Amino acid sequence: MKFLRQTFESFRFAWQALRSNLLRTLLSLLGVTIGIFAIIAVFTLVDSLEGSIRTSLSFIGDKVVYVQKMPWSFGGEYQWWKFFQRPEPKYSEYKFMSERLENAQAVVAMSFKGRVTVKRENNSMSSLIQGTTLDYNIISDVPIDNGRYFTQQEIDVARNVAIVGSDVAENLFPGEDPVGKTFKISGLNFTVIGVQRKKGESLLNVGGNPDIKCLIPYGAFAKMFNSINPNLTITVKGYDTDEGLLELESEIRGLMRTRRGLRPAQDDNFAINRPEAAAQAIGGIFAVLTVAGWVIGGFSILIGGFGIANIMFVSVKERTNIIGIQKSLGAKNYVILFQFLFEAVLLSLVGGLAGIFLVYLLSFMSLGSLELVLSASNVALGLGVSSAIGIISGIVPAFSAARLDPVIAIRAK
């Protein structure tokens, strides 16, 4: 009860100090507010980006390797003029590797064609068309919400069937069950055999937003598009170990070089790309952002800490007479120390809560496919940093107040 009474009394003193000098207090706490906002906003952004990347990797598949013409660029000089002269991967190379790769769970050939108008009666929309082979559902997550996946026969004979994204189904077949119905891709009839569950666009959606995509057999795709603009990608799924993935990359490189007849002294004329490499590159950017957030926030918090310390020194001077009376009535030094330290922490927490509230408002903003989420751990971090700043800023004024001589303090004006 004694502790609770002292805490309540300290809270009352702190609240009175806050109300009596409201403008001065708010200006002093502005530094803490900006500092906590900068730090927690950066941490929230980084956590949200990492969560989006993890979600994307679950969609496009983990331990997946893409054999393509052009490498993905993650810094440094990008020699596009050199890569542009490389030959495109061929379907025969896909067949060659699918028959010989020993360290692969699945090998898939796929191609993309964007901005293709798909129609059904009076309904139409711009869609992304992807041609693929049978094992695509092993490479990537293909959650069928309605209908079924391809059969081997449909892939082998290049039948005009399609698995459509949720947005395609909603736009072309509003209020209807699309499965078994036909629609047109580039003027050709395709039958819907499945509808994917809505995924939403994410950061690393290789091949684009799955909700506006139509999956069709690779043979059907090649007949419509690849004769004009071949853009085949060979995708290989490795086993769930880093060692197995390294062996897989070495095996792919050896088979591709053999197939293309490259001599030992010649450079690769193909690229082996991995989504994990993109995630690691982005992770390096996250680290820089985190450091920048701490630096910017640290300077602001430092200024705010000096402001709180100034408030506390002024508060000690204004309440010197009251401190003398308290000590003459038997108040211990630790009671006076606790009062002023509590006041400093409370003031700092007010600034910290204001910064966290600004981040919370920021989380309602739309950043494309990125959803900002203010986590409980980041809230706790903000409150912890605020409390630490309050303790550091208030400890010296609190000690000076606790060590005042009661006789001298009572005579103070």
Side-chain angles (χ1 to χ4, degrees):
M1 289 299 295
K2 183 178 179 182
F3 175 76
L4 292 176
R5 187 169 62 252
Q6 290 173 351
T7 301
F8 176 76
E9 191 174 292
S10 299
F11 179 82
R12 185 167 56 85
F13 274 121
W15 182 249
Q16 287 175 351
L18 182 65
R19 290 183 59 191
S20 61
N21 300 284
L22 187 59
L23 181 60
R24 182 187 70 186
T25 303
L26 290 178
L27 290 174
S28 299
L29 294 183
L30 190 59
V32 175
T33 299
I34 294 173
I36 295 299
F37 170 78
I39 292 171
I40 302 306
V42 168
F43 272 76
T44 299
L45 177 63
V46 169
D47 290 348
S48 300
L49 284 170
E50 288 179 340
S52 179
I53 288 174
R54 284 193 295 269
T55 302
S56 300
L57 288 176
S58 71
F59 286 157
I60 64 178
D62 192 18
K63 308 299 181 186
V64 174
V65 176
Y66 293 86
V67 182
Q68 297 171 300
K69 174 181 176 178
M70 310 283 276
W72 298 347
S73 177
F74 305 119
E77 184 181 5
Y78 189 75
Q79 299 177 330
W80 62 268
W81 58 90
K82 178 181 176 181
F83 305 141
F84 187 75
Q85 298 174 3
R86 293 174 171 179
E88 293 279 356
K90 299 179 178 62
Y91 188 78
S92 59
E93 292 171 338
Y94 150 72
K95 294 293 289 184
F96 180 79
M97 287 206 294
S98 65
E99 293 167 359
R100 290 166 175 80
L101 279 174
E102 297 179 357
N103 293 297
Q105 292 188 52
V107 184
V108 169
M110 59 186 187
S111 289
F112 303 92
K113 183 69 174 178
R115 298 184 180 277
V116 176
T117 299
V118 294
K119 300 181 66 175
R120 193 253 179 173
E121 296 179 351
N122 295 326
N123 301 320
S124 66
M125 66 173 290
S126 181
S127 178
L128 172 65
I129 310 301
Q130 178 179 339
T132 188
T133 49
L134 185 66
D135 289 338
Y136 179 70
N137 62 340
I138 300 176
I139 297 284
S140 179
D141 183 27
V142 185
I144 302 296
D145 193 45
N146 184 18
R148 60 173 177 83
Y149 189 68
F150 300 115
T151 64
Q152 182 69 62
Q153 184 183 21
E154 288 169 339
I155 297 293
D156 291 342
V157 300
R159 189 166 293 166
N160 285 7
V161 293
I163 298 172
V164 300
S166 59
D167 288 356
V168 177
E170 291 170 6
N171 282 281
L172 299 188
F173 305 93
E176 300 179 52
D177 182 1
V179 176
K181 294 183 171 65
T182 61
F183 69 105
K184 292 183 181 293
I185 301 177
S186 293
L188 295 178
N189 285 324
F190 278 76
T191 302
V192 178
I193 61 169
V195 179
Q196 288 198 65
R197 186 177 68 241
K198 193 172 187 65
K199 292 181 178 181
E201 193 170 5
S202 55
L203 193 64
L204 289 179
N205 267 337
V206 175
N209 185 356
D211 295 334
I212 63 168
K213 184 184 292 185
C214 295
L215 288 175
I216 64 175
Y218 180 80
F221 181 96
K223 285 186 291 186
M224 288 192 294
F225 304 115
N226 268 13
S227 59
I228 302 172
N229 183 29
N231 61 348
L232 184 139
T233 297
I234 301 172
T235 311
V236 185
K237 169 80 170 180
Y239 292 102
D240 296 331
T241 62
D242 292 332
E243 296 78 8
L245 200 60
L246 291 173
E247 292 178 3
L248 176 62
E249 288 186 11
S250 298
E251 192 179 5
I252 290 172
R253 179 168 283 106
L255 287 173
M256 284 294 292
R257 289 181 65 86
T258 300
R259 178 69 181 181
R260 293 191 171 182
L262 297 176
R263 294 189 297 272
Q266 289 181 292
D267 294 333
D268 293 342
N269 60 356
F270 55 89
I272 299 177
N273 298 315
R274 286 175 56 188
E276 290 90 344
Q280 290 173 2
I282 296 173
I285 299 174
F286 292 165
V288 174
L289 286 174
T290 302
V291 172
W294 275 111
V295 171
I296 296 170
F299 278 114
S300 299
I301 286 176
L302 183 64
I303 295 171
F306 281 121
I308 292 174
N310 178 60
I311 291 175
M312 296 312 301
F313 277 118
V314 172
S315 184
V316 170
K317 186 174 180 62
E318 290 175 346
R319 285 157 46 190
T320 300
N321 185 265
I322 297 175
I323 294 169
I325 294 173
Q326 284 181 306
K327 297 190 77 171
S328 67
L329 293 175
K332 303 294 183 182
N333 286 350
Y334 74 86
V335 175
I336 305 299
L337 175 71
F338 179 76
Q339 282 182 355
F340 284 91
L341 204 57
F342 185 88
E343 182 176 333
V345 172
L346 179 64
L347 292 174
S348 185
L349 279 174
V350 170
L353 285 170
I356 292 171
F357 181 70
L358 291 177
V359 178
Y360 175 71
L361 294 180
L362 187 67
S363 67
F364 288 99
M365 293 178 59
S366 175
L367 297 177
S369 62
L370 180 63
E371 180 183 2
L372 291 178
V373 179
L374 178 60
S375 65
S377 60
N378 285 334
V379 172
L381 175 65
L383 295 178
V385 172
S386 301
S387 300
I389 293 301
I391 293 171
I392 294 170
S393 302
I395 193 69
V396 175
F399 263 120
S400 65
R403 296 176 63 183
L404 285 174
D405 184 277
V407 177
I408 298 174
I410 289 175
R411 292 177 180 175
K413 294 183 181 180

